[in-house]
Amino acid sequence: MPKYFYKILLDYTQPEIKAIAFLVPHKESNKPLYDFIVSIDDIEHKTGIDFFPELPDTIETKLESSTNYKNWSFR
């Protein structure tokens, strides 16, 4: 049984390319979703997977290191 689940979203819509990643423990929780936001770099380190190798390095580096969720809607 996995201890965590992850989800990574990439919105490659111009002019604002954005990405967000979640690492959620496999247990019941009442915490809001934004409490589980981590950087894509964190998930890549844990899984050994390079999720966006085809992105230009300048964009990839910026997106994968971010934990900013201000431009996403949580409804």
Side-chain angles (χ1 to χ4, degrees):
M1 173 122 7
K3 293 182 183 179
Y4 294 91
F5 293 95
Y6 66 85
K7 180 77 164 190
I8 299 173
L9 303 170
L10 172 64
D11 179 356
Y12 204 74
T13 307
Q14 294 286 352
E16 183 186 14
I17 299 169
K18 59 187 177 181
I20 194 166
F22 302 91
L23 186 62
V24 182
H26 186 228
K27 62 181 180 181
E28 189 172 332
S29 175
N30 291 321
K31 292 182 179 182
L33 187 56
Y34 58 79
D35 277 359
F36 301 106
I37 295 173
V38 297
S39 71
I40 296 169
D41 284 336
D42 287 343
I43 296 176
E44 286 182 337
H45 178 74
K46 290 179 185 318
T47 63
I49 300 169
D50 182 6
F51 289 99
F52 302 114
E54 299 298 319
L55 284 178
D57 285 340
T58 55
I59 295 172
E60 182 182 15
T61 300
K62 179 183 174 191
L63 292 178
E64 291 185 355
S65 64
S66 176
T67 57
N68 182 4
Y69 62 89
K70 302 286 185 196
N71 297 327
W72 294 89
S73 176
F74 294 91
R75 295 187 222 179

